[in-house]
Amino acid sequence: MDYLKLVLLTVVCLMASACTAARQQASTIDASTEWRLKSLEESFLNFREEQRLQADRSLESSEAVSRKLENLEQKIASLKSGSSIMAAPEDVSADSSSVEKGWVTDLKPEDDGWVEGQKNEVSDTVKTTIQNDETQPWDTVPGPPPVVPEPKIVERKKTSVQRHKASPELSSAKALYTSGLAKYNGDDFIGARSAFEQFVKKYPKNDLVPNALYWKGETFYSQKDFAQSILAFKEVTGRYPKHDKSAAALLKIGMSYDKVGDPDNAIFYLRALIEDFPKSAPAKLARQELNRLGG
């Protein structure tokens, strides 16, 4: 009887240990799966961000090539106009010099146009030239018309009228950016995002591009599309790491990671914000978030 009890007790212990091991193994598998999902999500976000950066580089390269072609066309046009301007003064100067001086080069003493009194004048002029080596103005026989130097193309500074031509473009950029903000404030997040994307594409060198990229991320965040908001905010920090909007973008990246259930990345980006922009307003909010997350 005691032997049977001992056997039963042994079997129960073995079954309990087996159940415990199974539970531990299941917990390990769940943790491993969760970590793999997080890694895949991070890889996917990085891949999408790289795609966007490559598209922006391609757009900037094509625009640079277009600007170079326009500059070459303008230079060729200016050279053509300069050569046509040069030809006109030569003809005018030749005609005017011959009319003003009144020289007739095809008359000889035996021709009817020769005046007898001119013979004595010529001989007297020869004698005077022999006696005096000093060059006399009437000794010089008119030569070919003077060569008009090629006009130089001087690049002038922009006048106030020329500088004023850029104002319509600046006003159009400001109007497009303002319309995006108005749509965002009116909860038209899709329309606002479209306006900001159009602004960045049409005016890539404008000072408000970092702001437009940030508000584009805010449209995703407001729609609770946190994965896309992370990518949009990372575009701000990647292209403009020292801009003021990068501080706000880092805060929203950390908050977005918290929303998708990734506290480790949330803590990482909040700490990066405090380290890079310690005196900014977003850094103050980041400290509060870190206290809440225990980081």
Side-chain angles (χ1 to χ4, degrees), residues 26-234:
S27 176
T28 302
I29 292 173
D30 291 340
S32 177
T33 302
E34 183 179 0
W35 174 252
R36 289 180 181 177
L37 288 174
K38 288 183 178 179
S39 299
L40 288 173
E41 180 187 3
E42 180 70 17
S43 299
F44 173 73
L45 293 176
N46 291 334
F47 173 73
R48 289 292 298 275
E49 183 178 4
E50 184 64 26
Q51 278 187 325
R52 289 176 182 271
L53 292 176
Q54 289 179 358
D56 290 339
R57 295 191 196 102
S58 177
L59 178 61
E60 291 178 356
S61 299
S62 62
E63 290 178 351
V65 172
S66 299
R67 287 195 295 271
K68 288 182 180 179
L69 288 175
E70 290 177 359
N71 291 334
L72 288 176
E73 291 175 355
Q74 291 176 358
K75 289 181 180 179
I76 293 172
S78 63
L79 289 175
K80 288 182 179 179
S81 62
S83 61
S84 62
I85 293 172
M86 181 186 67
E90 293 181 356
D91 298 336
V92 174
S93 63
D95 295 338
S96 62
S97 64
S98 60
V99 173
E100 289 175 0
K101 294 185 178 181
W103 281 87
V104 182
T105 57
D106 56 347
L107 289 180
K108 299 178 182 179
E110 60 269 18
D111 294 336
D112 294 337
W114 182 268
V115 180
E116 184 64 25
Q118 291 178 347
K119 295 180 181 179
N120 296 331
E121 293 176 1
V122 173
S123 61
D124 294 338
T125 302
V126 173
K127 292 178 182 179
T128 305
T129 306
I130 295 173
Q131 295 174 357
N132 188 1
D133 293 335
E134 183 180 356
T135 303
Q136 303 298 330
W138 53 81
D139 292 339
T140 304
V141 178
V147 179
V148 180
E150 181 179 356
K152 296 182 179 180
I153 301 175
V154 180
E155 185 176 351
R156 298 179 178 178
K157 295 182 179 180
K158 291 184 178 180
T159 61
S160 58
V161 177
Q162 291 174 329
R163 288 194 296 267
H164 187 66
K165 291 181 180 179
S167 59
E169 180 179 351
L170 294 175
S171 60
S172 300
K174 183 67 175 179
L176 182 57
Y177 178 80
T178 304
S179 68
L181 283 179
K183 291 178 181 179
Y184 175 83
N185 292 327
D187 294 338
D188 182 9
F189 302 124
I190 296 177
R193 183 159 59 248
S194 177
F196 291 131
E197 288 176 346
Q198 184 180 357
F199 177 86
V200 173
K201 183 177 181 180
K202 194 172 182 180
Y203 309 103
K205 303 299 182 182
N206 194 281
D207 294 338
L208 290 173
V209 169
N211 301 61
L213 292 174
Y214 172 80
W215 287 110
K216 175 185 172 183
E218 284 285 6
T219 62
F220 286 118
Y221 190 88
S222 298
Q223 291 179 308
K224 297 183 180 181
D225 189 353
F226 301 115
Q228 287 296 327
S229 70
I230 290 172
L231 294 175
F233 289 129
K234 281 187 177 181

